[in-house]
Amino acid sequence: MTRTLVALLLACLAAAAMAAEPATDEINALSLYAGTRQVDHQGQPVNDSHLLNDGVATRHSQFEVSRTGEPTLSLVFQLAEPYDLHRLEAVNSFEEDGYPGISTRRLRLEHGPSHEGPWTPVTEVELAKGTKPQGFAFPPVKNVRYLRVTFLENYGEERWWNLTELAVYGRRVAERGAADFSGTWETTYGFMHLTQEGERVYGCYGSEGANLVDGVVDGQSFYGSYTEGNTVGPMSFVMTVEGEMSGIYGTGFIDPTRYRWDAVRTNDAQAINCGGQADEESEGIADELANNGRVVLRGILFDTGKDVIKPESIPVLEELAEAIRKAGGRYLIEGHTDNRGGEAFNQTLSEKRAESVKRWLVEHGIDAAALSIEGHGMSRPAMPNDTDAGRAANRRVEVVKL
């Protein structure tokens, strides 16, 4: 199975992730990677993800609506679990030069106990034009599960108005420990079977279990990749408080467009059989190194805050060693971390983790002279560090063929 996430993801997301980071205990609750769903008037998830761009805001990902209908427009979002919230951040329109006045001027944020409300005001803000993130603190609001965003006014464009991104930050009401994603799930795209070993999750989905899944767990989030024929793309699931998986996927690592992929558990153990395919991965890392000259490994896992390699990492390391042994040449091992612990701590940690990988490879027959290491700490994030899934994506080892 493919245990790697294509390096193109880093090029797509790194620029956005390098923006100012929130406090490390803050979470963007209004995030696809935090399990947020936009819901319709019946409370059902819709495939739209308006405003939820997770720091990857572009001209092509804006929310644009006609003004020919109602004088205001509201969107309702369900959070994966209750949050205590205290600030929002918005990115306005990219289209102001071509459509003067299209930018959103005023919007209202409200919260409620269900998709029907009743709605209690949180804050009402006035936005400036421009695409620089704009932050607004508001008095803390406790135990929020549903949010309603209402567009009140734009800057005068009579036909359209536009907003690119909205984030709402806060903290979980209660810590929930680590989720268990193991089992059989009935998903938007057929049945899926997942196996969880420590922080690693792998499995299959679709007709005869032909499509593969691989990733890592952080708290209530699972972030990884799917392989469907020749297509490899990103995927993320969050366990809601109801025990459902609120998920998304992308069609590739360059296109930032994401689509819903939700799931509920099923007791039908015969619904899908992976048929051993989850272990058929001998060519994954070798192919990545041969085709791209670089492989991104998130299946090499460490004890929290340490450089001790976890046992569930061994199959990935064995595959890496075999790929290096067959191809020969020289390789650079890079360590990367999330932002928890600060810059100095993470720089040292990333170096130690890269050294641990090198040590394991040498102990298993790889020439030490063929391997060098670098640690980049938290300086090269693949995704923003404001969700569990984002931090899981940033904790990784990369191997580069020199």
Side-chain angles (χ1 to χ4, degrees):
M1 178 206 299
T2 301
R3 276 198 171 108
T4 63
L5 294 177
V6 182
L8 289 173
L9 174 64
L10 306 182
C12 175
L13 297 177
M18 287 298 290
E21 298 283 1
T24 56
D25 59 346
E26 275 191 334
I27 292 176
N28 175 14
L30 198 65
S31 166
L32 293 172
Y33 290 107
T36 295
R37 297 161 160 166
Q38 184 179 336
V39 297
D40 62 20
H41 65 281
Q42 295 180 327
Q44 297 301 307
V46 299
N47 201 38
D48 297 317
S49 56
H50 298 311
L51 305 180
L52 310 182
N53 290 314
D54 299 298
V56 197
T58 70
R59 184 180 301 274
H60 304 291
S61 61
Q62 301 173 103
F63 177 52
E64 187 169 284
V65 63
S66 170
R67 292 193 63 195
T68 58
E70 298 295 326
T72 63
L73 172 74
S74 295
L75 303 175
V76 176
F77 300 95
Q78 180 197 52
L79 310 184
E81 60 184 291
Y83 282 87
D84 296 336
L85 304 175
H86 59 265
R87 72 181 179 95
L88 69 81
E89 191 172 279
V91 175
N92 220 328
S93 175
F94 280 78
E95 304 290 348
E96 187 64 34
D97 289 344
Y99 297 88
I102 198 173
S103 300
T104 296
R105 183 167 188 168
R106 289 192 304 122
L107 63 81
R108 179 189 301 132
L109 185 67
E110 301 164 289
H111 75 95
S114 78
H115 68 281
E116 297 177 312
W119 300 106
T120 301
V122 174
T123 188
E124 188 173 310
V125 300
E126 183 164 335
L127 303 177
K129 298 176 184 179
T131 57
K132 181 179 180 180
Q134 305 173 53
F136 303 88
F138 51 79
V141 181
K142 302 289 187 180
N143 203 35
V144 176
R145 187 70 197 282
Y146 286 84
L147 287 171
R148 183 168 74 170
V149 180
T150 301
F151 295 81
L152 301 175
E153 183 184 1
N154 71 357
Y155 273 88
E157 159 64 40
E158 295 182 354
R159 298 163 298 169
W160 306 95
W161 64 24
N162 186 296
L163 184 67
T164 300
E165 181 176 6
L166 189 67
V168 182
Y169 289 93
R171 296 174 176 84
R172 292 185 173 89
V173 170
E175 292 299 325
R176 298 165 55 201
D180 182 5
F181 290 88
S182 295
T184 302
W185 300 82
E186 187 172 0
T187 85
T188 313
Y189 301 101
F191 290 100
M192 175 185 293
H193 185 78
L194 297 176
T195 299
Q196 184 167 332
E197 297 177 353
E199 295 178 15
R200 179 172 169 256
V201 176
Y202 60 90
C204 68
Y205 68 95
S207 177
E208 300 180 354
N211 307 314
L212 303 180
V213 173
D214 187 40
V216 295
V217 170
D218 187 323
Q220 300 296 312
S221 297
F222 159 51
Y223 179 81
S225 64
Y226 69 89
T227 302
E228 189 168 323
N230 294 323
T231 300
V232 179
M235 62 186 300
S236 175
F237 289 113
V238 175
M239 193 76 73
T240 71
V241 289
E242 291 82 13
E244 301 176 353
M245 291 200 305
S246 175
I248 56 169
Y249 74 97
T251 56
F253 287 92
I254 297 178
D255 183 0
T257 306
R258 286 147 299 177
Y259 305 91
R260 292 232 55 83
W261 195 351
D262 295 314
V264 295
R265 286 190 187 274
T266 176
N267 293 323
D268 186 358
Q270 305 303 314
I272 186 170
N273 182 359
C274 291
Q277 295 188 63
D279 292 324
E280 296 176 4
E281 52 190 340
S282 59
E283 296 184 354
I285 290 176
D287 283 346
E288 292 284 347
L289 286 171
N291 295 333
N292 304 316
R294 174 186 292 267
V295 61
V296 184
L297 302 171
R298 293 188 177 85
I300 299 180
L301 305 170
F302 301 87
D303 288 348
T304 302
K306 299 179 181 179
D307 60 347
V308 179
I309 297 173
K310 290 191 171 186
E312 57 263 38
S313 309
I314 300 306
V316 185
L317 289 166
E318 290 175 340
E319 184 184 353
L320 175 61
E322 183 65 14
I324 292 174
R325 194 175 293 116
K326 287 183 176 180
R330 296 178 58 250
Y331 297 85
L332 171 65
I333 302 168
E334 299 179 349
H336 301 264
T337 70
D338 62 27
N339 68 337
R340 289 180 288 194
E343 186 174 348
F345 173 81
N346 282 305
Q347 178 60 37
T348 300
L349 180 62
S350 67
E351 294 168 1
K352 289 182 175 180
R353 287 180 169 178
E355 182 61 43
S356 290
V357 173
K358 176 181 177 180
R359 186 183 310 115
W360 190 97
L361 292 170
V362 171
E363 290 172 354
H364 290 78
I366 304 301
D367 183 3
L371 304 174
S372 56
I373 68 160
E374 285 183 0
H376 295 287
M378 54 185 277
S379 67
R380 297 184 181 181
M383 290 174 58
N385 277 297
D386 58 5
T387 63
D388 290 340
R391 288 190 285 264
N394 293 333
R395 295 191 302 272
R396 64 197 190 274
V397 172
E398 299 190 29
V399 178
V400 183
K401 188 169 185 178
L402 300 176

